[in-house]
Amino acid sequence: MRRVLQRWNSDEYRQFVQQRREEIDEEISRLNDRIEDETEAIDAATEQAERVEALRKRKELQSELDDRRAELDDLTEQIGRNFPKKRREVRERHDLTVRMRPVAATSVSYERGDLVLELSAGDATAEKSYSYAIGAGVMEEPSCDRCGRQLTGENPLALEGSRVIGDACCGTEDVSRPADIE
């Protein structure tokens, strides 16, 4: 809970600073436009008095522009210098202390897993894994690795290298049969 508040507090200050920077950038843009207008007025002036007045206005606007740029530089410097301080101030203003005491606990266990069988006969070895759950037993029926038919009493398993196959559905002469399985 406290970390979320810290992130929110620092974001609040960051948003304030970003908003102020955007305002200053807009002022600088407006001042640049006005300075450009005054420069055009200076060039278009036909009388000396008009030209002097436009030069005076442009100088005032240039001074104001310099002030805004200095303010932007100061703000950027303050961000680097005061950001941790402002963040602490905002955190102190909005921080919450939450104390919790557990009143109950519940433990739930559900045992399930994989039943791994290793079958071997002569040189043939196969490892099969079947999902099981307490109370339900094996969740899937064993089947032939070659054709997918279910292994039953009528279709008993046989080993073919590292594969478990059904003797009735896919059995051949070179498979290990149940009597040979250890």
Side-chain angles (χ1 to χ4, degrees):
M1 181 85 171
R2 180 174 227 118
R3 284 193 177 133
V4 171
L5 287 174
Q6 288 174 353
R7 201 172 299 128
W8 179 79
N9 291 337
S10 62
D11 286 343
E12 178 185 84
Y13 181 67
R14 200 172 285 132
Q15 287 173 352
F16 166 75
V17 169
Q18 182 65 31
Q19 180 182 353
R20 184 64 189 135
R21 287 176 91 172
E22 289 171 2
E23 289 171 359
I24 294 172
D25 283 338
E26 287 175 14
E27 289 177 33
I28 288 172
S29 178
R30 279 194 303 270
L31 286 169
N32 279 327
D33 290 344
R34 289 178 63 195
I35 289 171
E36 190 176 310
D37 291 344
E38 289 302 322
T39 301
E40 290 173 6
I42 292 168
D43 293 340
T46 56
E47 294 184 23
Q48 183 70 15
E50 282 182 60
R51 176 174 253 158
V52 170
E53 182 61 24
L55 283 169
R56 187 187 60 73
K57 281 185 179 180
R58 186 175 74 173
K59 187 175 182 180
E60 287 176 9
L61 292 171
Q62 189 63 46
S63 176
E64 195 174 333
L65 177 64
D66 292 341
D67 290 345
R68 290 301 150 267
R69 286 183 176 156
E71 186 179 351
L72 186 60
D73 291 343
D74 288 345
L75 185 60
T76 303
E77 185 181 316
Q78 277 183 328
I79 291 169
R81 189 177 62 240
N82 291 336
F83 182 73
K85 179 182 173 189
K86 292 291 184 185
R87 189 166 73 188
R88 264 193 311 278
E89 289 174 8
V90 172
R91 185 180 305 132
E92 288 171 5
R93 195 170 54 237
H94 296 285
D95 204 7
L96 296 174
T97 301
V98 178
R99 295 190 178 151
M100 297 186 305
R101 184 179 54 182
V103 293
T106 303
S107 174
V108 177
S109 65
Y110 179 73
E111 293 185 32
R112 69 184 271 176
D114 292 326
L115 175 64
V116 180
L117 302 174
E118 185 176 311
L119 307 167
S120 61
D123 292 339
T125 302
E127 188 173 285
K128 294 298 283 182
S129 178
Y130 298 101
S131 297
Y132 76 95
I134 291 181
V138 175
M139 308 279 274
E140 58 190 75
E141 296 294 327
S143 60
C144 176
D145 288 346
R146 198 186 284 168
C147 70
R149 277 188 51 200
Q150 186 176 353
L151 298 176
T152 63
E154 293 79 34
N155 188 24
L157 72 85
L159 293 178
E160 179 182 59
S162 63
R163 294 170 50 170
V164 174
I165 62 170
D167 191 34
C169 61
C170 297
T172 61
E173 294 299 320
D174 58 336
V175 295
S176 300
R177 295 204 163 49
D180 304 329
I181 296 178
E182 298 171 2

